[in-house]
Amino acid sequence: MPPFASNVVELTQALVRIPSVNPDGDPGTDGIGEQQCALYVADFLRSAGAEVTLEEVEPARPNVIGRFPTHPSANGSPKPRILFAPHTDTVSVGGMTIDPFGGELRDGKIWGRGASDTKGPMASMLWALYEMRDEIPSLPVEVHFVGFMSEESEQLGSQHFTKHHGRYDLAIIGEPTSLKTVFRHKGCLWADVHTTGVAVHGATPELGVNAIVKMAKLVSALDTEFREILAEAGGEDEWLGASTINLGMIQGGTRSNIVADFCKLRLDIRTTPGLQRAGGALALLTDYVQRIDETAQVTVASEAFHLDTDPENGFVQKLIAAGASLTGAPWFCDAAFLAAAGTPAIAIGPGSIAQAHTKDEFIAVQDLEDGVAFFRRFLASLGTKNPGLK
């Protein structure tokens, strides 16, 4: 029996009760970092027969990697490799109306931070692997697992993994997708727009130049005209809709009695494959901003790729045959970073994305059990035909 759990419900509860909040921004708790969660997952993987490695990406923030044993193939050739890959961090617990680490079982649901994103999906994956531990070595694939740190900010875990572990034949990223196969999702550009001014005493503002006032003109233009330009440039994607922009944060000035000599606006632009083909969001944004204010500057805070995996991939077809229909998503995840490094990747898991990051996050017990059944069904199906063929 694996440590501290006798079923997928207890496993989910155990994971939720381990604080593993991403330290970026305002975590809302002292329980930051993924180490304790990774150590628990490591013990679970060992109980399922996997060889386990902890790779520290940042101090006390490791990826946890499990490699299940495999028998040689009949013809002696290397087996295709598949990767189960949820993440171990969660978003902030600030503003939650329930105990974020309670893992309470109530009304047929498990409540707490990460229940849906992604400790519940991770538990379904892990429990399916545990139940299939005797069959996995005989499958015509190698089965590996990784719990990524830092998915909720910067995606350091998936980027580190791709640099050190090569490509796989499929990566199954754990996210709450209602057990649908997300084969295409938007990319994300976080960019900062900077305006500058001349600081003078607030009693004589006419002698200075106010960077906030300059930014106000850009805010209005970005929220109206540029929003339309962005949507038109990338076109309407069949699965994703149009590219979008959100004006997320703004800061400027130092005191109320000083004319502001700087202002910074943080933008969140969600991009479609069509926009990337049209030259990308950064070039479009930079050109537009400098047409409105030639002294303004645009810098990149972070950029994540879009995902566009071939739905005819043999493993993806196995997921569909197991009951996971295709879908797209407006969000992004670790799948894009593995895909960019040459690994076909999709996102899938039980639970709804509508519950992710909410003040009263939960996942239904039935969804967890359905997730275990699905992942078992998928793994079992891999032995029916060569899964590497289209």
Side-chain angles (χ1 to χ4, degrees):
M1 187 63 61
F4 317 123
S6 59
N7 54 53
V8 70
V9 172
E10 291 182 6
L11 178 57
T12 303
Q13 289 178 293
L15 291 169
V16 169
R17 288 168 179 161
I18 302 172
S20 57
V21 177
N22 192 296
D24 193 36
D26 180 8
T29 177
D30 293 333
I32 61 172
E34 299 87 348
Q35 182 160 279
Q36 293 307 310
C37 186
L39 289 171
Y40 182 94
V41 171
D43 285 343
F44 186 94
L45 288 166
R46 291 188 187 100
S47 75
E51 176 187 326
V52 177
T53 305
L54 289 160
E55 289 188 348
E56 194 170 66
V57 181
E58 295 275 300
R61 302 185 65 192
N63 283 339
V64 54
I65 302 166
R67 298 177 178 86
F68 286 84
T70 187
H71 298 155
S73 63
N75 60 11
S77 60
K79 292 181 177 180
R81 301 193 307 165
I82 65 171
L83 180 70
F84 288 87
H87 60 86
T88 54
D89 64 326
T90 72
V91 294
S92 167
V93 300
M96 292 193 73
T97 58
I98 59 172
D99 181 352
F101 311 120
E104 180 186 7
L105 176 58
R106 173 171 50 86
D107 301 329
K109 302 167 184 173
I110 298 171
W111 303 77
R113 179 57 83 222
S116 71
D117 187 13
T118 63
K119 291 180 176 180
M122 176 162 57
S124 287
M125 287 181 167
L126 286 170
W127 201 260
L129 292 169
Y130 179 78
E131 290 188 343
M132 291 283 289
R133 63 193 181 280
D134 294 333
E135 291 92 341
I136 286 174
S138 299
L139 292 176
V141 296
E142 286 188 32
V143 178
H144 295 179
F145 175 96
V146 58
F148 289 131
M149 52 78 73
S150 184
E151 191 275 343
E152 295 292 1
S153 181
E154 298 188 276
Q155 299 76 50
L156 301 176
S158 55
Q159 294 181 68
H160 182 276
F161 186 86
T162 60
K163 290 178 182 176
H164 294 89
H165 296 281
R167 67 176 302 277
Y168 281 74
D169 295 273
L170 182 72
I172 303 170
I173 306 302
E175 293 287 350
T177 70
S178 302
L179 286 176
K180 293 184 178 181
T181 302
V182 173
F183 76 105
R184 185 180 294 176
H185 70 54
K186 287 183 176 179
C188 178
L189 171 68
W190 285 359
D192 292 325
V193 178
H194 307 262
T195 56
T196 56
V198 178
V200 298
H201 198 290
T204 55
E206 70 278 3
L207 299 180
V209 177
N210 194 313
I212 294 175
V213 173
K214 292 170 69 177
M215 185 64 79
K217 183 178 180 181
L218 277 166
V219 165
S220 177
L222 289 166
D223 197 42
T224 53
E225 183 182 32
F226 183 74
R227 185 181 298 278
E228 295 177 2
I229 291 172
L230 187 69
E232 291 172 3
E236 188 79 10
D237 187 275
E238 174 187 2
W239 294 92
L240 306 177
S243 297
T244 61
I245 181 172
N246 176 56
L247 284 61
M249 296 187 294
I250 192 166
Q251 62 186 99
T254 54
R255 287 179 59 91
S256 58
N257 62 347
I258 300 175
V259 170
D261 63 355
F262 79 93
C263 190
K264 181 174 77 171
L265 172 68
R266 170 64 60 86
L267 303 175
D268 179 333
I269 300 178
R270 302 300 169 114
T271 60
T272 63
L275 181 61
Q276 194 63 35
R277 290 191 293 269
L282 180 61
L284 196 68
L285 174 66
T286 301
D287 177 71
Y288 183 81
V289 164
Q290 294 189 339
R291 281 196 286 116
I292 301 296
D293 181 351
E294 63 182 12
T295 66
Q297 300 294 320
V298 176
T299 59
V300 175
S302 68
E303 187 166 16
F305 310 106
H306 67 265
L307 178 70
D308 193 11
T309 295
D310 182 4
E312 295 303 316
N313 175 283
F315 285 111
V316 175
Q317 288 295 309
K318 287 283 188 181
L319 289 165
I320 296 170
S325 59
L326 294 174
T327 192
W331 39 263
F332 73 95
C333 67
D334 285 318
F337 291 92
L338 275 79
T343 291
I346 59 89
I348 192 170
S352 170
I353 196 68
Q355 286 304 317
H357 305 187
T358 59
K359 63 183 180 180
D360 56 352
E361 185 175 352
F362 66 80
I363 191 167
V365 169
Q366 187 63 58
D367 289 345
L368 289 170
E369 294 173 346
D370 289 347
V372 175
F374 170 79
F375 290 123
R376 288 199 59 166
R377 191 160 62 247
F378 167 70
L379 283 167
S381 77
L382 299 180
T384 60
K385 265 189 179 180
N386 183 346
L389 296 178
K390 291 185 179 180

